[in-house]
Amino acid sequence: MAPRLSLRTLPDVADASAPPLDPSALEVGIMHLGIGAFHRAHQAEFTQDAMAASGDTSWGICGVTQRSRSVLDDLEPQDGLSSVLVRSGSDESLRVNAAVRELRFALDTPDALVARLADPKVRVVTLTVTEKGYRHDPATRRLRTDDAEVAADAAGRPPRTVVGQLVRGLAARRSADAGSVSLLPCDNLPANGKVLAGLVSDFCGLLGDPALAAWVEENVAFPSSMVDRIVPATTDADRSTAERMLGLRDEGVVATEPFRQWVVEDVFAAGRPSWELAGAVLTDDVTPYEAMKLRLLNGSHSTLAYLGALAGREHISDAVADPALAEAVSRMMRDEVTPTLAVPDGFDLPAYEQDLLRRFANPALRHRTLQVAMDGSQKLPQRLVAVARERLATGAQPRLSCLGIAGWMRWVTAGTTEDGRPIVVDDPLADQLAAATAGATTPAVVVDGLLGIRAVFGDDLGVDPEFRSLVLDSLQALTSSGVAVAVREALR
Ligand code: CS2
């Protein structure tokens, strides 16, 4: 095996794959909660390029892993270095990212993490903790104050939840007089900055600390952001490719597509890297971009994932290679999602939609349908349910969004795929989903059980007869005749 990538071996990396800056010159100015593959292929890349382009090297990243040590096991021996392998068809390129200068495991030393958040040099905290990491109710977007982990954090143990960590860190910052800071969420949630501000305020409420809440109001900014880059879980084959290209072993390599986009609300409390020099869009209002991305990209992704996985298709590229599935998501985008969007001036929506289909079809990405199918209860509301709700309100019949939703219902209840593989429902609400459909023998009973889940369908859609009937039509077809027939019927 080749020697390991690290600061010591970095000089051996060929120029084309070397980072555009000297890691030893960087100071930590950003803390990132949730340092997984997505962060390293997205914000870490924008930040590295911004530092290289601006010469401001004060935005190195302290990466925090939330749930398991494994990222640290990969990155610590490499001094935080890891490479990004960009794939498009048969083209491959690779570059080392050196922006991550420090690593921590939140659960190992929670008090040290809180203290680290109080460093005045840390001026931005970014987050990729997935939808469920916020521990909020997707329907009300407020903190689930009855969640046992949230309650235990509020009762005063060293914090283990994301919002608990942030609020304890902000309290430490206030005591240390460490100055203002911006908390920038980078997860696929609408108005993620506003949502996080609400969760922080809810947690301050649990602590019964109005003075802290007032300090937060004065000193903390919560910009919203829309992030986009498809980053599948890294495979052994990716690690072998990186080793061949780098001449060094990189356990932290992440594989991704050429496309990357970041639209950030430009309301920072204590400065930020010049991300615009790296191609990010800094704007007053991310709302239109968020809705486009969540509904067009992620809504289609989830639809392809559920229907594709049920039909035995392993990758998103295999699912979209089925002409009927491609037609279903393409018509859903055009006929159902587009009318719900406020498109920014000059934005070429048809080209964006075509691009999405091309990105999904990138065979080199090998993005597993199972990966996208995870955590549906947290993803569906903003991806598919919101579209169905808005279309129904205008009197339209959003059959394809409802097909996607029925695909999820079939996925969480079928037990096996059409080619006989067992389905494991990976979802924080898995127990609730199972209880709601226990003993259900007909699609109608499944639909009624799942429509009662308020966190997904809210108080309105769960009791909307038109919605129920559209979802039931598709679930009936999926159950009795399978994906191919259900898609054909929804397209009629
Ligand atoms: C995907 C996203 O796993 C999923 O749910 O839809 O991770 C998707 O790949 C990204 O949002 C693309 O930007």
Side-chain angles (χ1 to χ4, degrees):
M1 205 183 271
R4 199 77 179 263
L5 171 67
S6 68
L7 287 179
R8 195 178 55 75
T9 56
L10 188 59
D12 302 335
V13 170
D15 284 354
S17 293
L21 39 68
D22 170 8
S24 65
L26 305 185
E27 266 189 292
V28 168
I30 296 179
M31 283 192 68
H32 180 78
L33 306 189
I35 183 179
F38 184 74
H39 171 69
R40 306 206 296 283
H42 190 276
Q43 301 96 53
E45 285 285 270
F46 278 96
T47 302
Q48 166 162 283
D49 287 342
M51 287 193 285
S54 66
D56 177 357
T57 51
S58 68
W59 297 105
I61 298 169
C62 167
V64 180
T65 165
Q66 292 289 332
R67 281 162 308 166
S68 96
R69 260 203 73 83
S70 73
V71 180
L72 257 63
D73 295 339
D74 292 342
L75 296 188
E76 265 174 348
Q78 303 185 176
D79 305 313
L81 302 176
S82 62
S83 39
V84 179
L85 170 58
V86 177
R87 288 208 165 113
S88 173
S90 57
D91 287 348
E92 286 176 332
S93 67
L94 175 142
R95 190 178 69 162
V96 173
N97 185 294
V100 176
R101 292 294 84 234
E102 197 185 309
L103 291 155
R104 284 172 185 262
F105 178 30
L107 300 187
D108 250 4
T109 49
D111 292 324
L113 173 67
V114 168
R116 193 74 188 81
L117 283 162
D119 176 352
K121 290 202 178 116
V122 170
R123 286 151 294 151
V124 173
V125 181
T126 48
L127 294 89
T128 50
V129 294
T130 79
E131 295 87 342
K132 64 180 172 229
Y134 293 86
R135 292 183 188 269
H136 72 309
D137 176 339
T140 61
R141 298 166 158 214
R142 303 313 300 228
L143 190 63
R144 294 203 322 264
T145 47
D146 58 351
D147 178 276
E149 296 291 316
V150 170
D153 274 8
R157 70 169 183 193
R160 299 169 70 93
T161 67
V162 172
V163 174
Q165 289 158 354
L166 289 172
V167 174
R168 297 289 180 190
L170 293 173
R173 228 178 145 85
R174 172 171 171 245
S175 312
D177 209 5
S180 305
V181 65
S182 304
L183 309 188
L184 172 59
C186 303
D187 287 289
N188 286 316
L189 290 170
N192 46 21
K194 225 177 242 99
V195 169
L196 183 60
L199 303 181
V200 164
S201 148
D202 291 344
F203 196 90
C204 291
L206 283 182
L207 296 182
D209 191 342
L212 177 60
W215 184 88
V216 169
E217 183 99 0
E218 277 286 288
N219 292 282
V220 185
F222 295 90
S224 287
S225 84
M226 178 274 253
V227 293
D228 190 6
R229 194 167 210 186
I230 296 177
V231 188
T234 304
T235 63
D236 286 341
D238 299 330
R239 283 182 274 267
S240 303
T241 306
E243 182 168 337
R244 181 172 47 72
M245 295 175 76
L246 207 53
L248 296 169
R249 181 76 186 165
D250 178 2
E251 296 293 345
V253 61
V254 291
T256 185
E257 60 177 340
F259 183 92
R260 67 182 199 190
Q261 190 180 27
W262 197 6
V263 183
V264 184
E265 187 187 5
D266 201 3
V267 286
F268 285 78
R272 57 164 175 82
S274 304
W275 285 311
E276 68 280 9
L277 299 180
V281 174
L282 278 296
T283 172
D284 290 350
D285 186 10
V286 300
T287 323
Y289 295 95
E290 260 170 17
M292 285 193 313
K293 196 266 172 168
L294 291 170
R295 296 179 181 190
L296 293 169
L297 188 154
N298 296 112
S300 305
H301 231 185
S302 290
T303 303
L304 289 169
Y306 294 119
L307 298 175
L310 283 166
R313 297 187 178 250
E314 191 176 352
H315 301 112
I316 294 289
S317 53
D318 305 325
V320 80
D322 173 336
L325 275 180
E327 174 68 11
V329 291
S330 145
R331 273 188 28 200
M332 178 173 85
M333 289 198 266
R334 197 190 59 208
D335 299 345
E336 299 182 10
V337 182
T338 301
T340 71
L341 300 174
V343 183
D345 278 349
F347 193 89
D348 187 346
L349 201 60
Y352 181 78
E353 294 175 6
Q354 280 310 311
D355 255 11
L356 289 182
L357 292 171
R358 259 195 299 276
R359 290 170 63 197
F360 294 152
N362 182 348
L365 275 182
R366 307 180 68 75
H367 196 191
R368 300 185 71 210
T369 46
L370 283 185
Q371 189 183 348
V372 180
M374 272 171 58
D375 294 346
S377 68
Q378 313 293 301
K379 294 174 174 173
L380 244 56
Q382 55 277 13
R383 297 182 178 203
L384 292 167
V385 175
V387 172
R389 175 177 287 117
E390 288 177 30
R391 293 305 289 149
L392 284 165
T394 67
Q397 290 206 320
R399 294 167 68 95
L400 296 163
S401 312
C402 289
L403 168 70
I405 293 165
W408 169 73
M409 291 185 168
R410 183 75 185 136
W411 178 252
V412 299
T413 53
T416 52
T417 60
E418 289 177 4
D419 58 347
R421 282 186 267 186
I423 296 174
V424 178
V425 179
D426 193 338
D427 191 300
L429 298 193
D431 291 345
Q432 203 183 330
L433 302 176
T437 53
T441 48
T442 64
V445 179
V446 169
V447 168
D448 291 336
L450 292 174
L451 286 184
I453 301 205
R454 237 197 66 262
V456 179
F457 297 106
D459 293 325
D460 54 344
L461 275 192
V463 294
D464 182 318
E466 179 75 13
F467 180 61
R468 176 181 185 275
S469 135
L470 289 172
V471 173
L472 182 56
D473 280 352
S474 275
L475 188 64
Q476 249 152 359
L478 284 167
T479 309
S480 58
S481 318
V483 171
V485 170
V487 172
R488 206 176 320 130
E489 285 184 2
L491 281 170
R492 267 216 304 260

